[in-house]
Amino acid sequence: MGLRIDVVTIFPDYFGSPLGVSLIGKAAARDDIRFGVHDLRRWATDVHHTVDDVPFGGGPGMVMKPDVWGDALDEITGDGSGARLIVPTPSGMPFSQDMAARYAAERWLVFACGRYEGIDGRVVEAMRARMPVDEVSIGDYVLAGGEAAALVMIEAVGRLLPGVLGNASSAGDDSFGGDGNPEGAMRGLLEGPVYTRPRAWRDHEVPEVLLSGNHAAIARWRRDMALRRTAAHRPDLIPALRDLDRRDRQVLAEAGFPVNGEDMAH
Ligand code: JAH
């Protein structure tokens, strides 16, 4: 039952606390997710448990040995059937909310966390013959290894599993509002600010409209704020927005993004 996640790493201790706390830990306690964390060095064959070697062709750093990785993934996945192998790497395809939703619908994910300059390229090549393999990047920066990226993806996937959230509906409408809520009014937009009590704090008041009880006005205000924040923080998302109304276009124009006629639905 639920999603099986295996992680292969030379730092298995890195995963202890993150996978044990919060919603991921609760999901694991309820068998919504099951984890296996494996020390790659278990499959090293020499006395020093070596997992890396010098790069063919020269250059800086070390490369992870294919034989060690091959034996580890063979033993963990068996014939590979049913598993999807995910390799965090800065040269992978960008991770997204859509991918998190697709991974949440899988039965078995195996994360191969590299270190040094990465894993010998033949490992991905060989594994692709037996199972789907995704090389995935969580952003344009270089980490010291794939572990932190794997944790990011596990958390994004974990919160989408049925029964993981206390309030199962709150996954639907937050920032990166595409997720699980494809018909939502905020699709493609970043979420604006949120507020709670007290009404006044350090001379800052909660926006009046949120106290009005006028639900249409509140929804319109939230959309205005989402449009402004998207224009300011993610201007690259603006051209993909669809079905903009007159007010949307006015808000975007005020934010410095006049939207051209083809995108005008009204
Ligand atoms: C660094 C193996 N997209 C973030 C990301 C993911 C993985 C790595 N770096 C950045 C990485 C060294 C070795 C993976």
Side-chain angles (χ1 to χ4, degrees):
M1 265 322 299
L3 173 61
R4 167 87 196 175
I5 296 180
D6 286 283
V7 179
V8 189
T9 171
I10 61 168
F11 294 120
D13 293 348
Y14 190 97
F15 292 85
S17 297
L19 298 185
V21 301
S22 189
L23 60 89
I24 300 175
K26 283 180 199 139
R30 299 173 31 172
D31 268 15
D32 295 321
I33 315 187
R34 283 169 309 143
F35 291 108
V37 179
H38 311 273
D39 185 350
L40 179 70
R41 291 192 197 278
R42 213 179 103 203
W43 288 273
T45 51
D46 67 316
V47 284
H48 297 110
H49 302 289
T50 306
V51 295
D52 61 332
D53 202 346
V54 294
F56 274 123
M62 299 290 271
V63 173
M64 296 190 101
K65 290 162 60 59
D67 51 342
V68 178
W69 270 106
D71 286 351
L73 294 173
D74 285 353
E75 183 172 333
I76 291 162
T77 68
D79 67 357
S81 57
R84 174 178 294 273
L85 181 64
I86 302 170
V87 185
T89 166
S91 41
M93 58 180 160
F95 187 62
S96 66
Q97 192 61 42
D98 285 357
M99 287 169 66
R102 287 197 293 273
Y103 289 166
E106 299 265 0
R107 304 266 299 275
W108 189 8
L109 304 175
V110 179
F111 288 88
C113 301
R115 283 266 151 178
Y116 316 108
E117 301 306 310
I119 303 170
D120 185 297
R122 292 167 293 183
V123 173
V124 159
E125 216 177 280
M127 292 302 144
R128 274 204 220 282
R130 310 191 352 221
M131 67 189 102
V133 179
D134 295 342
E135 295 175 283
V136 182
S137 167
I138 63 160
D140 292 338
Y141 36 81
V142 180
L143 300 168
E147 285 80 5
L151 278 176
V152 165
M153 290 187 263
I154 290 166
E155 183 161 320
V157 170
R159 67 182 280 282
L160 298 180
L161 295 177
V164 168
L165 279 178
N167 171 10
S169 70
S170 63
D173 46 290
D174 47 5
S175 266
F176 266 164
D179 83 318
N181 193 12
E183 310 308 318
M186 304 292 246
R187 185 162 27 121
L189 295 173
L190 303 187
E191 196 80 355
V194 296
Y195 303 89
T196 186
R197 293 178 289 183
R199 282 179 59 164
W201 177 75
R202 296 191 180 180
D203 294 335
H204 295 260
E205 298 272 347
V206 168
E208 193 76 37
V209 64
L210 298 180
L211 313 174
S212 69
N214 180 340
H215 299 296
I218 291 169
R220 182 64 255 182
W221 181 86
R222 285 184 170 149
R223 185 164 171 86
D224 290 359
M225 298 304 279
L227 286 160
R228 282 190 212 164
R229 186 168 283 194
T230 305
H233 293 178
R234 293 296 305 279
D236 59 301
L237 299 180
I238 300 292
L241 296 176
R242 291 293 169 263
D243 301 325
L244 299 175
D245 66 20
R246 295 178 65 87
R247 172 67 184 166
D248 292 336
R249 284 182 271 114
Q250 182 191 342
V251 170
L252 288 175
E254 286 167 9
F257 284 86
V259 178
N260 72 40
E262 260 117 358
D263 294 324
M264 291 184 182
H266 305 283

